[in-house]
Amino acid sequence: MNRILIVEDEGTIARLIEVSLKRAGYACTVAHDGVAAADLIEAQDFDLALLDIMLPGLDGYELLEYLQPMGTPVIFITAKGSTRDRVRGLSLGADDYLVKPFEVEELLARVGAVLRRAGRGGQTLTAFGVTLDVVARQVTQNGSPVDLTPREFALLEQLMRNRGAALYRDVLYERVWGAELTDTRTLDLHIQRLRKKLGWQEQIETVYRVGYRLRREDDTPPARGK
Ligand code: CA
C-alpha cells in the first residue's frame, strides 16, 4: 500500500483529500502545518507528498527541499493557479501541480501517474533486476527467489524506497531495528550480507561518514581508486 503525506492547513480540503485517497486504497497521514510535516518527513518515509504551498510554519517550497534528498515525489496542491507559481513549483522539482478547486478524479489520476513514474506504483519495488514485493514479503532476482532474513528484507526495502539517497546509519538502524543505534557493526554486517546475496557490491555504496546508498540505474559507475 502506498503511503501518502498530505500537508494542508484547510481542514475541509485536507479531509476531502484524505477520504478520497483512503477510499482509493492509499495509506494517508495528514499534517496541518509545515513544522508538523517536517517532523513526519524525518520520522517516516512516504511514497508521495501532496503539499499545499501557503502553510503556517514552513511553506510548501521549503518542505519540497526536505523531501528532495529522500527522492520522495511531490505534487503541489494550491489555490495559487497563476502560471508564475506553477512554473516556480515545477522548476524547483515538483512532479506535478494541482490547482484548487479540483475534481477528485483528477487528484486520483495525477497521484497514480506520479507514483507510476517514480516506480512506486502498486506493491512492488524494483532495482537492477531485483523485485521486492512489499505485501507478499518476497524478493526475486531475475525471476529467481532470494532468501532473506526479515532484517535483511527490511533493510533492502529501505534502500529501494529511498533509492539514490544517502541514508544515515542511525536512520537506517532505527527504521529497521526500531531502536536507537548503539553499535554500527550489526548494521554493517547486514549490509555486507545483503551485498553478497544479491551480488550488489557496487550497487549498495558506502557513503563516507553518512551510511549507505542504493545507486540508481542511470548513475555513472563510481571512479575506481587503486
Ligand atoms: Ca493553505
Side-chain angles (χ1 to χ4, degrees):
M1 190 186 280
N2 288 120
R3 289 168 288 186
I4 300 182
L5 174 66
I6 301 161
V7 190
E8 168 63 75
D9 58 329
E10 288 167 68
T12 49
I13 297 175
R15 192 153 317 128
L16 168 74
I17 297 171
E18 185 186 11
V19 168
S20 309
L21 291 178
K22 276 189 173 163
R23 204 172 285 156
Y26 297 104
C28 301
T29 305
V30 181
H32 297 285
D33 67 79
V35 177
D39 287 344
L40 283 167
I41 291 164
E42 255 170 52
Q44 303 170 32
D45 59 331
F46 296 98
D47 295 306
L48 172 71
L50 300 174
L51 305 180
D52 186 18
I53 290 179
M54 309 277 267
L55 289 163
L58 300 168
D59 68 20
Y61 296 126
E62 288 170 299
L63 289 175
L64 177 65
E65 282 178 35
Y66 267 72
L67 287 159
Q68 275 175 332
M70 304 178 191
T72 309
V74 167
I75 299 177
F76 276 132
I77 295 189
T78 179
K80 297 177 120 191
S82 78
T83 309
R84 217 176 106 215
D85 291 321
R86 204 178 296 224
V87 167
R88 181 171 175 205
L90 293 174
S91 65
L92 286 173
D95 295 84
D96 209 344
Y97 203 104
L98 202 54
V99 177
K100 290 184 263 193
F102 51 81
E103 298 289 328
V104 168
E105 287 72 22
E106 189 184 3
L107 167 75
L108 294 178
R110 285 177 191 261
V111 164
V114 168
L115 286 170
R116 276 194 301 279
R117 275 211 303 276
R120 296 172 189 240
Q123 300 154 341
T124 59
L125 302 163
T126 55
F128 301 112
V130 169
T131 301
L132 181 146
D133 188 320
V134 179
V135 175
R137 305 201 68 76
Q138 283 172 343
V139 175
T140 56
Q141 187 166 31
N142 304 317
S144 307
V146 180
D147 194 21
L148 298 182
T149 66
R151 297 279 196 222
E152 289 164 356
F153 182 94
L155 197 52
L156 179 62
E157 184 181 350
Q158 283 300 318
L159 290 167
M160 289 176 87
R161 278 194 190 282
N162 301 284
R163 195 167 179 196
L167 296 168
Y168 281 89
R169 278 195 174 79
D170 55 344
V171 171
L172 264 176
Y173 192 85
E174 218 176 299
R175 287 183 181 171
V176 172
W177 276 266
E180 221 163 276
L181 178 65
T182 46
D183 174 13
T184 61
R185 209 172 38 194
T186 308
L187 174 64
D188 294 339
L189 278 172
H190 276 76
I191 290 281
Q192 279 172 32
R193 284 212 293 265
L194 208 49
R195 279 178 173 148
K196 204 168 164 197
K197 284 188 179 179
L198 299 171
W200 276 12
Q201 301 303 329
E202 294 186 353
Q203 284 81 348
I204 302 175
E205 296 174 349
T206 303
V207 182
Y208 182 61
R209 300 183 92 155
V210 175
Y212 297 100
R213 173 183 183 269
L214 177 60
R215 285 174 48 196
R216 292 185 201 268
E217 222 88 30
D218 54 3
D219 279 350
T220 48
R224 294 247 187 172
K226 232 177 71 168

